[in-house]
PDB file of all heavy atoms in Angstrom:
ATOM      1  N   GLN A  80      70.438  70.678 109.319  1.00 95.00           N
ATOM      2  CA  GLN A  80      69.129  70.461 109.943  1.00 95.00           C
ATOM      3  C   GLN A  80      68.476  71.811 110.265  1.00 95.00           C
ATOM      4  O   GLN A  80      67.303  72.025 109.985  1.00 95.00           O
ATOM      5  CB  GLN A  80      69.315  69.633 111.215  1.00 95.00           C
ATOM      6  CG  GLN A  80      68.048  69.217 111.884  1.00 95.00           C
ATOM      7  CD  GLN A  80      68.338  68.355 113.120  1.00 95.00           C
ATOM      8  OE1 GLN A  80      69.454  68.346 113.651  1.00 95.00           O
ATOM      9  NE2 GLN A  80      67.345  67.645 113.564  1.00 95.00           N
ATOM     10  N   GLY A  81      69.249  72.721 110.819  1.00 97.00           N
ATOM     11  CA  GLY A  81      68.737  74.049 111.143  1.00 97.00           C
ATOM     12  C   GLY A  81      68.278  74.812 109.914  1.00 97.00           C
ATOM     13  O   GLY A  81      67.262  75.507 109.944  1.00 97.00           O
ATOM     14  N   ILE A  82      69.006  74.665 108.807  1.00 98.00           N
ATOM     15  CA  ILE A  82      68.626  75.343 107.560  1.00 98.00           C
ATOM     16  C   ILE A  82      67.281  74.812 107.066  1.00 98.00           C
ATOM     17  O   ILE A  82      66.417  75.588 106.636  1.00 98.00           O
ATOM     18  CB  ILE A  82      69.735  75.188 106.496  1.00 98.00           C
ATOM     19  CG1 ILE A  82      70.958  76.030 106.891  1.00 98.00           C
ATOM     20  CG2 ILE A  82      69.230  75.558 105.109  1.00 98.00           C
ATOM     21  CD1 ILE A  82      72.198  75.771 106.057  1.00 98.00           C
ATOM     22  N   GLU A  83      67.089  73.509 107.132  1.00 95.00           N
ATOM     23  CA  GLU A  83      65.800  72.931 106.717  1.00 95.00           C
ATOM     24  C   GLU A  83      64.663  73.464 107.583  1.00 95.00           C
ATOM     25  O   GLU A  83      63.593  73.805 107.076  1.00 95.00           O
ATOM     26  CB  GLU A  83      65.854  71.404 106.776  1.00 95.00           C
ATOM     27  CG  GLU A  83      66.642  70.789 105.647  1.00 95.00           C
ATOM     28  CD  GLU A  83      66.194  71.251 104.263  1.00 95.00           C
ATOM     29  OE1 GLU A  83      64.983  71.185 103.955  1.00 95.00           O
ATOM     30  OE2 GLU A  83      67.061  71.702 103.483  1.00 95.00           O
ATOM     31  N   TYR A  84      64.888  73.524 108.889  1.00 95.00           N
ATOM     32  CA  TYR A  84      63.855  74.038 109.794  1.00 95.00           C
ATOM     33  C   TYR A  84      63.578  75.516 109.519  1.00 95.00           C
ATOM     34  O   TYR A  84      62.436  75.955 109.538  1.00 95.00           O
ATOM     35  CB  TYR A  84      64.272  73.850 111.249  1.00 95.00           C
ATOM     36  CG  TYR A  84      64.345  72.409 111.694  1.00 95.00           C
ATOM     37  CD1 TYR A  84      65.055  72.046 112.824  1.00 95.00           C
ATOM     38  CD2 TYR A  84      63.708  71.391 110.992  1.00 95.00           C
ATOM     39  CE1 TYR A  84      65.125  70.728 113.251  1.00 95.00           C
ATOM     40  CE2 TYR A  84      63.780  70.072 111.411  1.00 95.00           C
ATOM     41  CZ  TYR A  84      64.486  69.738 112.537  1.00 95.00           C
ATOM     42  OH  TYR A  84      64.552  68.444 112.955  1.00 95.00           O
ATOM     43  N   ALA A  85      64.635  76.281 109.259  1.00 97.00           N
ATOM     44  CA  ALA A  85      64.465  77.709 108.986  1.00 97.00           C
ATOM     45  C   ALA A  85      63.621  77.922 107.728  1.00 97.00           C
ATOM     46  O   ALA A  85      62.792  78.833 107.677  1.00 97.00           O
ATOM     47  CB  ALA A  85      65.829  78.380 108.842  1.00 97.00           C
ATOM     48  N   LYS A  86      63.830  77.086 106.712  1.00 95.00           N
ATOM     49  CA  LYS A  86      63.017  77.177 105.492  1.00 95.00           C
ATOM     50  C   LYS A  86      61.546  76.942 105.826  1.00 95.00           C
ATOM     51  O   LYS A  86      60.673  77.676 105.368  1.00 95.00           O
ATOM     52  CB  LYS A  86      63.473  76.146 104.464  1.00 95.00           C
ATOM     53  CG  LYS A  86      64.788  76.480 103.803  1.00 95.00           C
ATOM     54  CD  LYS A  86      65.196  75.361 102.863  1.00 95.00           C
ATOM     55  CE  LYS A  86      66.586  75.583 102.306  1.00 95.00           C
ATOM     56  NZ  LYS A  86      67.054  74.423 101.522  1.00 95.00           N
ATOM     57  N   ASN A  87      61.278  75.913 106.631  1.00 92.00           N
ATOM     58  CA  ASN A  87      59.896  75.592 106.999  1.00 92.00           C
ATOM     59  C   ASN A  87      59.251  76.688 107.842  1.00 92.00           C
ATOM     60  O   ASN A  87      58.055  76.935 107.728  1.00 92.00           O
ATOM     61  CB  ASN A  87      59.835  74.266 107.765  1.00 92.00           C
ATOM     62  CG  ASN A  87      60.060  73.071 106.868  1.00 92.00           C
ATOM     63  OD1 ASN A  87      59.422  72.927 105.836  1.00 92.00           O
ATOM     64  ND2 ASN A  87      60.980  72.215 107.256  1.00 92.00           N
ATOM     65  N   LEU A  88      60.038  77.312 108.701  1.00 94.00           N
ATOM     66  CA  LEU A  88      59.511  78.331 109.616  1.00 94.00           C
ATOM     67  C   LEU A  88      59.650  79.747 109.066  1.00 94.00           C
ATOM     68  O   LEU A  88      59.244  80.701 109.707  1.00 94.00           O
ATOM     69  CB  LEU A  88      60.221  78.223 110.970  1.00 94.00           C
ATOM     70  CG  LEU A  88      59.929  76.929 111.737  1.00 94.00           C
ATOM     71  CD1 LEU A  88      60.886  76.781 112.914  1.00 94.00           C
ATOM     72  CD2 LEU A  88      58.487  76.894 112.198  1.00 94.00           C
ATOM     73  N   ASN A  89      60.267  79.874 107.884  1.00 94.00           N
ATOM     74  CA  ASN A  89      60.449  81.165 107.232  1.00 94.00           C
ATOM     75  C   ASN A  89      61.203  82.168 108.118  1.00 94.00           C
ATOM     76  O   ASN A  89      60.769  83.293 108.322  1.00 94.00           O
ATOM     77  CB  ASN A  89      59.095  81.729 106.785  1.00 94.00           C
ATOM     78  CG  ASN A  89      59.244  82.818 105.753  1.00 94.00           C
ATOM     79  OD1 ASN A  89      60.220  82.848 105.006  1.00 94.00           O
ATOM     80  ND2 ASN A  89      58.303  83.738 105.729  1.00 94.00           N
ATOM     81  N   VAL A  90      62.336  81.728 108.646  1.00 96.00           N
ATOM     82  CA  VAL A  90      63.201  82.621 109.417  1.00 96.00           C
ATOM     83  C   VAL A  90      64.516  82.815 108.663  1.00 96.00           C
ATOM     84  O   VAL A  90      64.905  81.976 107.850  1.00 96.00           O
ATOM     85  CB  VAL A  90      63.467  82.125 110.859  1.00 96.00           C
ATOM     86  CG1 VAL A  90      62.191  82.036 111.652  1.00 96.00           C
ATOM     87  CG2 VAL A  90      64.193  80.813 110.870  1.00 96.00           C
ATOM     88  N   PHE A  91      65.183  83.935 108.931  1.00 96.00           N
ATOM     89  CA  PHE A  91      66.366  84.302 108.167  1.00 96.00           C
ATOM     90  C   PHE A  91      67.691  83.858 108.771  1.00 96.00           C
ATOM     91  O   PHE A  91      68.699  83.835 108.071  1.00 96.00           O
ATOM     92  CB  PHE A  91      66.408  85.816 107.962  1.00 96.00           C
ATOM     93  CG  PHE A  91      65.311  86.334 107.082  1.00 96.00           C
ATOM     94  CD1 PHE A  91      64.566  87.428 107.474  1.00 96.00           C
ATOM     95  CD2 PHE A  91      65.008  85.737 105.874  1.00 96.00           C
ATOM     96  CE1 PHE A  91      63.551  87.925 106.674  1.00 96.00           C
ATOM     97  CE2 PHE A  91      64.001  86.218 105.057  1.00 96.00           C
ATOM     98  CZ  PHE A  91      63.267  87.326 105.457  1.00 96.00           C
ATOM     99  N   PHE A  92      67.719  83.557 110.077  1.00 98.00           N
ATOM    100  CA  PHE A  92      68.998  83.217 110.698  1.00 98.00           C
ATOM    101  C   PHE A  92      68.966  81.845 111.350  1.00 98.00           C
ATOM    102  O   PHE A  92      67.977  81.466 111.982  1.00 98.00           O
ATOM    103  CB  PHE A  92      69.404  84.276 111.724  1.00 98.00           C
ATOM    104  CG  PHE A  92      69.844  85.555 111.077  1.00 98.00           C
ATOM    105  CD1 PHE A  92      68.946  86.586 110.864  1.00 98.00           C
ATOM    106  CD2 PHE A  92      71.155  85.710 110.644  1.00 98.00           C
ATOM    107  CE1 PHE A  92      69.330  87.758 110.241  1.00 98.00           C
ATOM    108  CE2 PHE A  92      71.560  86.887 110.011  1.00 98.00           C
ATOM    109  CZ  PHE A  92      70.647  87.905 109.812  1.00 98.00           C
ATOM    110  N   VAL A  93      70.078  81.128 111.181  1.00 98.00           N
ATOM    111  CA  VAL A  93      70.261  79.817 111.784  1.00 98.00           C
ATOM    112  C   VAL A  93      71.554  79.875 112.591  1.00 98.00           C
ATOM    113  O   VAL A  93      72.577  80.369 112.098  1.00 98.00           O
ATOM    114  CB  VAL A  93      70.395  78.703 110.716  1.00 98.00           C
ATOM    115  CG1 VAL A  93      70.677  77.355 111.358  1.00 98.00           C
ATOM    116  CG2 VAL A  93      69.159  78.652 109.837  1.00 98.00           C
ATOM    117  N   TYR A  94      71.477  79.387 113.809  1.00 98.00           N
ATOM    118  CA  TYR A  94      72.668  79.262 114.643  1.00 98.00           C
ATOM    119  C   TYR A  94      72.872  77.794 114.941  1.00 98.00           C
ATOM    120  O   TYR A  94      71.928  77.093 115.299  1.00 98.00           O
ATOM    121  CB  TYR A  94      72.520  80.062 115.947  1.00 98.00           C
ATOM    122  CG  TYR A  94      72.412  81.531 115.671  1.00 98.00           C
ATOM    123  CD1 TYR A  94      71.173  82.138 115.496  1.00 98.00           C
ATOM    124  CD2 TYR A  94      73.557  82.305 115.515  1.00 98.00           C
ATOM    125  CE1 TYR A  94      71.074  83.484 115.188  1.00 98.00           C
ATOM    126  CE2 TYR A  94      73.465  83.656 115.208  1.00 98.00           C
ATOM    127  CZ  TYR A  94      72.227  84.229 115.048  1.00 98.00           C
ATOM    128  OH  TYR A  94      72.131  85.557 114.728  1.00 98.00           O
ATOM    129  N   SER A  95      74.095  77.346 114.758  1.00 98.00           N
ATOM    130  CA  SER A  95      74.458  75.973 115.084  1.00 98.00           C
ATOM    131  C   SER A  95      75.577  76.077 116.108  1.00 98.00           C
ATOM    132  O   SER A  95      76.573  76.772 115.880  1.00 98.00           O
ATOM    133  CB  SER A  95      74.928  75.246 113.816  1.00 98.00           C
ATOM    134  OG  SER A  95      75.135  73.884 114.074  1.00 98.00           O
ATOM    135  N   THR A  96      75.397  75.410 117.244  1.00 97.00           N
ATOM    136  CA  THR A  96      76.364  75.584 118.323  1.00 97.00           C
ATOM    137  C   THR A  96      76.528  74.312 119.153  1.00 97.00           C
ATOM    138  O   THR A  96      75.600  73.524 119.288  1.00 97.00           O
ATOM    139  CB  THR A  96      75.955  76.756 119.241  1.00 97.00           C
ATOM    140  OG1 THR A  96      76.930  76.916 120.275  1.00 97.00           O
ATOM    141  CG2 THR A  96      74.585  76.537 119.859  1.00 97.00           C
ATOM    142  N   ASN A  97      77.721  74.166 119.698  1.00 96.00           N
ATOM    143  CA  ASN A  97      77.988  73.097 120.662  1.00 96.00           C
ATOM    144  C   ASN A  97      78.212  73.696 122.056  1.00 96.00           C
ATOM    145  O   ASN A  97      78.743  73.042 122.941  1.00 96.00           O
ATOM    146  CB  ASN A  97      79.202  72.268 120.244  1.00 96.00           C
ATOM    147  CG  ASN A  97      80.491  73.071 120.200  1.00 96.00           C
ATOM    148  OD1 ASN A  97      80.509  74.261 120.504  1.00 96.00           O
ATOM    149  ND2 ASN A  97      81.576  72.420 119.833  1.00 96.00           N
ATOM    150  N   GLY A  98      77.801  74.933 122.234  1.00 95.00           N
ATOM    151  CA  GLY A  98      77.962  75.610 123.516  1.00 95.00           C
ATOM    152  C   GLY A  98      79.241  76.418 123.611  1.00 95.00           C
ATOM    153  O   GLY A  98      79.295  77.414 124.314  1.00 95.00           O
ATOM    154  N   GLU A  99      80.280  75.987 122.909  1.00 96.00           N
ATOM    155  CA  GLU A  99      81.542  76.739 122.879  1.00 96.00           C
ATOM    156  C   GLU A  99      81.595  77.616 121.641  1.00 96.00           C
ATOM    157  O   GLU A  99      81.796  78.822 121.735  1.00 96.00           O
ATOM    158  CB  GLU A  99      82.739  75.778 122.854  1.00 96.00           C
ATOM    159  CG  GLU A  99      83.087  75.202 124.188  1.00 96.00           C
ATOM    160  CD  GLU A  99      84.334  74.325 124.124  1.00 96.00           C
ATOM    161  OE1 GLU A  99      84.646  73.754 123.063  1.00 96.00           O
ATOM    162  OE2 GLU A  99      84.986  74.207 125.158  1.00 96.00           O
ATOM    163  N   LYS A 100      81.429  77.014 120.490  1.00 97.00           N
ATOM    164  CA  LYS A 100      81.474  77.742 119.221  1.00 97.00           C
ATOM    165  C   LYS A 100      80.050  77.989 118.735  1.00 97.00           C
ATOM    166  O   LYS A 100      79.181  77.134 118.872  1.00 97.00           O
ATOM    167  CB  LYS A 100      82.243  76.951 118.170  1.00 97.00           C
ATOM    168  CG  LYS A 100      83.714  76.813 118.477  1.00 97.00           C
ATOM    169  CD  LYS A 100      84.409  76.071 117.370  1.00 97.00           C
ATOM    170  CE  LYS A 100      85.900  75.984 117.643  1.00 97.00           C
ATOM    171  NZ  LYS A 100      86.589  75.253 116.568  1.00 97.00           N
ATOM    172  N   ILE A 101      79.850  79.168 118.143  1.00 98.00           N
ATOM    173  CA  ILE A 101      78.550  79.542 117.584  1.00 98.00           C
ATOM    174  C   ILE A 101      78.754  79.884 116.114  1.00 98.00           C
ATOM    175  O   ILE A 101      79.576  80.750 115.783  1.00 98.00           O
ATOM    176  CB  ILE A 101      77.956  80.782 118.294  1.00 98.00           C
ATOM    177  CG1 ILE A 101      77.822  80.551 119.795  1.00 98.00           C
ATOM    178  CG2 ILE A 101      76.608  81.157 117.656  1.00 98.00           C
ATOM    179  CD1 ILE A 101      77.515  81.832 120.573  1.00 98.00           C
ATOM    180  N   TYR A 102      78.022  79.210 115.254  1.00 98.00           N
ATOM    181  CA  TYR A 102      78.077  79.503 113.821  1.00 98.00           C
ATOM    182  C   TYR A 102      76.769  80.160 113.417  1.00 98.00           C
ATOM    183  O   TYR A 102      75.691  79.628 113.695  1.00 98.00           O
ATOM    184  CB  TYR A 102      78.284  78.216 113.021  1.00 98.00           C
ATOM    185  CG  TYR A 102      78.606  78.463 111.565  1.00 98.00           C
ATOM    186  CD1 TYR A 102      79.898  78.772 111.167  1.00 98.00           C
ATOM    187  CD2 TYR A 102      77.609  78.391 110.591  1.00 98.00           C
ATOM    188  CE1 TYR A 102      80.203  79.004 109.830  1.00 98.00           C
ATOM    189  CE2 TYR A 102      77.909  78.623 109.254  1.00 98.00           C
ATOM    190  CZ  TYR A 102      79.204  78.922 108.881  1.00 98.00           C
ATOM    191  OH  TYR A 102      79.500  79.153 107.570  1.00 98.00           O
ATOM    192  N   GLU A 103      76.860  81.335 112.794  1.00 98.00           N
ATOM    193  CA  GLU A 103      75.686  82.073 112.345  1.00 98.00           C
ATOM    194  C   GLU A 103      75.578  81.946 110.833  1.00 98.00           C
ATOM    195  O   GLU A 103      76.537  82.214 110.108  1.00 98.00           O
ATOM    196  CB  GLU A 103      75.817  83.549 112.718  1.00 98.00           C
ATOM    197  CG  GLU A 103      74.648  84.394 112.224  1.00 98.00           C
ATOM    198  CD  GLU A 103      74.853  85.867 112.510  1.00 98.00           C
ATOM    199  OE1 GLU A 103      75.667  86.506 111.785  1.00 98.00           O
ATOM    200  OE2 GLU A 103      74.211  86.376 113.440  1.00 98.00           O
ATOM    201  N   TYR A 104      74.396  81.542 110.360  1.00 98.00           N
ATOM    202  CA  TYR A 104      74.143  81.386 108.926  1.00 98.00           C
ATOM    203  C   TYR A 104      72.975  82.274 108.533  1.00 98.00           C
ATOM    204  O   TYR A 104      71.909  82.221 109.159  1.00 98.00           O
ATOM    205  CB  TYR A 104      73.824  79.920 108.626  1.00 98.00           C
ATOM    206  CG  TYR A 104      73.650  79.626 107.163  1.00 98.00           C
ATOM    207  CD1 TYR A 104      74.747  79.393 106.346  1.00 98.00           C
ATOM    208  CD2 TYR A 104      72.378  79.576 106.601  1.00 98.00           C
ATOM    209  CE1 TYR A 104      74.583  79.119 104.996  1.00 98.00           C
ATOM    210  CE2 TYR A 104      72.210  79.303 105.252  1.00 98.00           C
ATOM    211  CZ  TYR A 104      73.320  79.071 104.461  1.00 98.00           C
ATOM    212  OH  TYR A 104      73.158  78.798 103.122  1.00 98.00           O
ATOM    213  N   ASP A 105      73.184  83.094 107.508  1.00 98.00           N
ATOM    214  CA  ASP A 105      72.155  84.005 107.005  1.00 98.00           C
ATOM    215  C   ASP A 105      71.500  83.353 105.797  1.00 98.00           C
ATOM    216  O   ASP A 105      72.149  83.141 104.764  1.00 98.00           O
ATOM    217  CB  ASP A 105      72.804  85.342 106.636  1.00 98.00           C
ATOM    218  CG  ASP A 105      71.798  86.413 106.247  1.00 98.00           C
ATOM    219  OD1 ASP A 105      70.704  86.073 105.744  1.00 98.00           O
ATOM    220  OD2 ASP A 105      72.116  87.599 106.431  1.00 98.00           O
ATOM    221  N   MET A 106      70.225  83.020 105.904  1.00 97.00           N
ATOM    222  CA  MET A 106      69.492  82.343 104.845  1.00 97.00           C
ATOM    223  C   MET A 106      69.404  83.199 103.579  1.00 97.00           C
ATOM    224  O   MET A 106      69.337  82.667 102.478  1.00 97.00           O
ATOM    225  CB  MET A 106      68.078  81.992 105.317  1.00 97.00           C
ATOM    226  CG  MET A 106      68.015  81.031 106.479  1.00 97.00           C
ATOM    227  SD  MET A 106      68.498  79.352 106.036  1.00 97.00           S
ATOM    228  CE  MET A 106      67.111  78.872 105.007  1.00 97.00           C
ATOM    229  N   ARG A 107      69.406  84.505 103.727  1.00 96.00           N
ATOM    230  CA  ARG A 107      69.236  85.391 102.577  1.00 96.00           C
ATOM    231  C   ARG A 107      70.462  85.402 101.676  1.00 96.00           C
ATOM    232  O   ARG A 107      70.347  85.449 100.460  1.00 96.00           O
ATOM    233  CB  ARG A 107      68.907  86.810 103.031  1.00 96.00           C
ATOM    234  CG  ARG A 107      67.620  86.867 103.853  1.00 96.00           C
ATOM    235  CD  ARG A 107      67.483  88.158 104.592  1.00 96.00           C
ATOM    236  NE  ARG A 107      68.599  88.307 105.537  1.00 96.00           N
ATOM    237  CZ  ARG A 107      68.792  89.340 106.321  1.00 96.00           C
ATOM    238  NH1 ARG A 107      67.948  90.338 106.294  1.00 96.00           N
ATOM    239  NH2 ARG A 107      69.812  89.388 107.136  1.00 96.00           N
ATOM    240  N   SER A 108      71.642  85.353 102.273  1.00 96.00           N
ATOM    241  CA  SER A 108      72.882  85.409 101.489  1.00 96.00           C
ATOM    242  C   SER A 108      73.510  84.021 101.319  1.00 96.00           C
ATOM    243  O   SER A 108      74.472  83.880 100.566  1.00 96.00           O
ATOM    244  CB  SER A 108      73.895  86.327 102.168  1.00 96.00           C
ATOM    245  OG  SER A 108      74.276  85.787 103.425  1.00 96.00           O
ATOM    246  N   SER A 109      72.987  83.037 102.026  1.00 97.00           N
ATOM    247  CA  SER A 109      73.556  81.681 102.022  1.00 97.00           C
ATOM    248  C   SER A 109      75.015  81.688 102.460  1.00 97.00           C
ATOM    249  O   SER A 109      75.840  80.933 101.958  1.00 97.00           O
ATOM    250  CB  SER A 109      73.426  81.019 100.652  1.00 97.00           C
ATOM    251  OG  SER A 109      72.080  80.913 100.279  1.00 97.00           O
ATOM    252  N   LYS A 110      75.315  82.559 103.416  1.00 97.00           N
ATOM    253  CA  LYS A 110      76.679  82.668 103.947  1.00 97.00           C
ATOM    254  C   LYS A 110      76.641  82.594 105.464  1.00 97.00           C
ATOM    255  O   LYS A 110      75.658  82.971 106.090  1.00 97.00           O
ATOM    256  CB  LYS A 110      77.328  83.987 103.519  1.00 97.00           C
ATOM    257  CG  LYS A 110      77.593  84.061 102.047  1.00 97.00           C
ATOM    258  CD  LYS A 110      78.292  85.338 101.674  1.00 97.00           C
ATOM    259  CE  LYS A 110      78.525  85.329 100.172  1.00 97.00           C
ATOM    260  NZ  LYS A 110      78.918  86.621  99.661  1.00 97.00           N
ATOM    261  N   GLY A 111      77.746  82.130 106.024  1.00 98.00           N
ATOM    262  CA  GLY A 111      77.821  82.045 107.468  1.00 98.00           C
ATOM    263  C   GLY A 111      79.226  82.278 107.970  1.00 98.00           C
ATOM    264  O   GLY A 111      80.181  82.300 107.198  1.00 98.00           O
ATOM    265  N   GLU A 112      79.315  82.424 109.296  1.00 98.00           N
ATOM    266  CA  GLU A 112      80.610  82.625 109.933  1.00 98.00           C
ATOM    267  C   GLU A 112      80.490  82.325 111.422  1.00 98.00           C
ATOM    268  O   GLU A 112      79.392  82.352 111.983  1.00 98.00           O
ATOM    269  CB  GLU A 112      81.086  84.066 109.738  1.00 98.00           C
ATOM    270  CG  GLU A 112      80.182  85.090 110.425  1.00 98.00           C
ATOM    271  CD  GLU A 112      80.639  86.523 110.208  1.00 98.00           C
ATOM    272  OE1 GLU A 112      81.829  86.738 109.898  1.00 98.00           O
ATOM    273  OE2 GLU A 112      79.804  87.431 110.356  1.00 98.00           O
TER     274      GLU A 112
END
Side-chain angles (χ1 to χ4, degrees):
Q80 186 178 18
I82 289 170
E83 285 307 309
Y84 293 161
K86 287 177 187 173
N87 287 309
L88 294 168
N89 198 27
V90 298
F91 293 132
F92 287 93
V93 176
Y94 296 92
S95 187
T96 181
N97 63 1
E99 281 184 333
K100 293 182 177 180
I101 303 168
Y102 191 82
E103 178 185 76
Y104 184 83
D105 186 332
M106 297 289 290
R107 300 165 298 179
S108 65
S109 300
K110 292 183 180 167
E112 64 181 338

